[in-house]
Amino acid sequence: MSLREQHPDLLKEVDIDEQERWMTPLVNKVAMGHRPQGVMDRCIIRDDTLRSGINTPGVYANNSIKMVLAEKLEAMGVVEAEVGYPTIPEHIEFVKMLRNAGSKMELGLHTRYYDPDYRTEIQKTVDSGADLVNLVGYWGYIMTNALCPQNWNGDIEGRIGDAVSHARQSGARKIAVGTDYHRLDLVARVARAAKDAGADRIVVYDVRGWFVPETMAFLVRYVRALAGPDIEIGVHCHDDYGLATINSIEAIRAGALTCDVTINSTGHRCGNAAFEQVVPVLESLYNIRTGLDMTQLTPLSEMVAELYKFPIARNRPVTGPHMYSYGGSHLGGILRGQWYFWENIKAETVGNRRSVSFGSTSLRRGKTAPVTVKIESMGLNPESANIERVFEKLEKLIYEKVEIGEREVEAVIHEIYG
């Protein structure tokens, strides 16, 4: 029997996925209204763990390690990935390894068009066999003085026009153009120049992780108005204020087609938008399809933690072990087998595991208390005088160990009840 049939009153509060993988509050629909005009019902998730992820302090992943990860990404449905820099020979070799292995992913290389030798970088990207020449450049005062002071007050239109033209003449299959987005007058010049030069995609960057969600949505619409309806728009967010995931979501809702993400928020400083969070948020909360196998999210997160030697926080959303770990007053519904009692998206849907533990707050008394529910679920009488003896024994164990597992609780109950 389906959840809808078992609990018809649930439908007064929530919208249940047809496959019963998740549920969302109906109030979300009221708040969001209809899908805004220009927002697509799909998003291309571009993995950047293979490029930005290895900028994480203390992380080095050689090509053998990255091949293992790339194979996992492609197997779960990833169709685009940013895989390195054309000026690093090891990264060029990685592109060739992927091609020799038969990878069908669209591969991009971060190619600096702000560098004086930008034509050489473009040529190296094309010669490597990469599909996307991902042109990155900076024109605002802050970034140009940090990375390329010779470009201050430079010829934006001339540089972008020549870079895109050179890439196309060199045989580039796809060309993207990005910049810093701190001054709208410069953004307008970059967007128009990219369009006029024939670029395929414009990427909206929050390079410092300091934009608010409203800004990301505005910038996507601004670029769309300047560049027209045909050019693709991508988004790339950093997580310095913990906003990379919601900033990416808002950019997608405003009309961005592609979204750069990294597994476990790896990357410069605080990393980028989290692959394992953006995907389920799009799928379950916004009904925007990614085409990815979400059951691989937790295994993927655990793989990167191991390969990059970058541990996952226990309370990390979606893939952390505490996401589906239940204790205290939350235990009742879970012990009755009612996943929807606390889970917005089922543990199995994202490849995570459900666990139960009894800590000090599990020792409260009452008919709905965790220990009472557990005794009842075992077919025993929770009204028996034995229950207080169960509590006394559990108190000793829990205060000694901090928390105990469900099997230990069952053993105590069997010992007391006989």
Side-chain angles (χ1 to χ4, degrees):
M1 185 180 292
S2 72
L3 200 55
R4 291 178 179 82
E5 294 170 321
Q6 285 181 290
H7 305 282
D9 284 343
L10 267 178
L11 301 178
K12 297 176 182 178
E13 299 177 24
V14 300
D15 192 11
I16 304 173
D17 169 56
E18 287 185 6
Q19 299 174 50
E20 297 191 355
R21 297 169 296 175
W22 57 71
M23 57 175 57
T24 56
L26 291 176
V27 70
N28 277 2
K29 283 189 172 182
V30 176
M32 290 190 293
H34 298 292
R35 193 187 299 274
Q37 187 176 6
V39 177
M40 293 159 285
D41 60 1
R42 71 183 185 97
C43 173
I44 296 172
I45 295 296
R46 294 188 75 247
D47 176 74
D48 207 353
T49 317
L50 297 166
R51 195 273 316 176
S52 186
I54 59 173
N55 286 312
T56 307
V59 169
Y60 168 66
N62 62 33
N63 285 346
S64 297
I65 288 173
K66 290 193 290 185
M67 278 297 294
V68 173
L69 178 55
E71 289 168 0
K72 180 76 170 178
L73 288 164
E74 191 159 11
M76 71 180 293
V78 172
V79 296
E80 287 197 34
E82 192 82 351
V83 295
Y85 303 92
T87 52
I88 299 179
E90 186 182 31
H91 296 182
I92 296 293
E93 181 60 28
F94 182 51
V95 174
K96 294 175 180 177
M97 288 173 65
L98 286 166
R99 287 291 173 250
N100 290 337
S103 174
K104 299 293 192 298
M105 288 193 295
E106 182 177 286
L107 307 177
L109 289 176
H110 235 51
T111 310
R112 301 171 299 173
Y113 73 87
Y114 64 80
D115 190 83
D117 202 18
Y118 66 94
R119 281 187 161 215
T120 300
E121 284 206 24
I122 290 169
Q123 195 64 53
K124 286 181 177 180
T125 296
V126 175
D127 291 346
S128 73
D131 304 282
L132 175 70
V133 177
N134 196 4
L135 295 168
V136 292
Y138 307 100
W139 297 100
Y141 183 79
I142 296 173
M143 299 305 292
T144 52
N145 274 269
L147 295 170
C148 46
Q150 70 277 4
N151 283 357
W152 178 236
N153 288 326
D155 181 4
I156 293 175
E157 292 78 9
R159 177 62 64 90
I160 291 176
D162 186 66
V164 172
S165 175
H166 184 68
R168 194 71 74 193
Q169 290 172 11
S170 298
R173 289 183 283 277
K174 199 166 192 176
I175 303 166
V177 175
T179 186
D180 45 344
Y181 281 77
H182 307 155
R183 277 180 49 181
L184 293 181
D185 59 329
L186 299 181
V187 172
R189 290 175 63 189
V190 169
R192 292 192 184 103
K195 175 192 174 185
D196 293 344
D200 303 289
R201 179 182 296 168
I202 296 175
V203 182
V204 177
Y205 285 88
D206 180 9
V207 295
R208 297 166 63 106
W210 62 356
F211 290 154
V212 294
E214 295 85 351
T215 301
M216 292 304 300
F218 167 77
L219 287 170
V220 169
R221 295 190 184 103
Y222 186 62
V223 169
R224 173 63 69 211
L226 292 164
D230 298 326
I231 200 165
E232 294 178 354
I233 296 179
V235 60
H236 179 105
C237 294
H238 282 263
D239 207 30
D240 297 60
Y241 279 107
L243 293 173
T245 293
I246 187 57
N247 280 353
S248 297
I249 298 297
E250 283 302 292
I252 293 163
R253 293 186 70 231
L257 172 64
T258 69
C259 178
D260 292 356
V261 292
T262 60
I263 303 154
N264 299 343
S265 297
T266 47
H268 289 290
R269 306 184 310 278
C270 302
N272 298 95
F275 187 124
E276 71 280 5
Q277 294 170 24
V278 169
V279 171
V281 167
L282 288 175
E283 292 273 0
S284 67
L285 296 180
Y286 290 99
N287 198 30
I288 295 174
R289 299 294 164 241
T290 64
L292 301 181
D293 178 3
M294 289 201 295
T295 65
Q296 297 304 306
L297 288 174
T298 300
L300 184 66
S301 176
E302 291 171 346
M303 173 184 280
V304 169
E306 181 180 352
L307 293 177
Y308 283 24
K309 297 180 174 59
F310 191 78
I312 307 169
R314 296 190 64 80
N315 65 341
R316 186 166 182 80
V318 183
T319 58
H322 282 183
M323 173 73 177
Y324 297 99
S325 177
Y326 299 95
S329 59
H330 290 186
L331 273 173
I334 298 300
L335 291 172
R336 295 188 188 97
Q338 299 163 333
W339 68 267
Y340 60 88
F341 192 73
W342 286 110
E343 293 175 18
N344 305 322
I345 184 167
K346 290 175 76 171
E348 298 82 356
T349 299
V350 295
N352 210 328
R353 296 163 294 278
R354 196 174 289 108
S355 64
V356 166
S357 62
F358 287 73
S360 60
T361 57
S362 305
L363 295 170
R364 65 186 180 85
R365 273 65 164 173
K367 292 185 177 181
T368 62
V371 174
T372 306
V373 172
K374 184 61 188 174
I375 291 171
E376 200 171 44
S377 72
M378 294 170 65
L380 301 171
N381 179 16
E383 303 293 334
S384 166
N386 288 326
I387 192 169
E388 199 53 42
R389 292 174 57 206
V390 170
F391 274 111
E392 290 173 3
K393 184 69 178 286
L394 290 178
E395 280 179 357
K396 291 180 181 178
L397 285 172
I398 290 171
Y399 292 153
E400 177 185 343
K401 298 182 176 182
V402 179
E403 65 178 20
I404 59 177
E406 192 172 6
R407 296 293 168 261
E408 290 179 275
V409 174
E410 290 174 355
V412 168
I413 293 170
H414 280 304
E415 177 189 334
I416 303 298
Y417 272 77

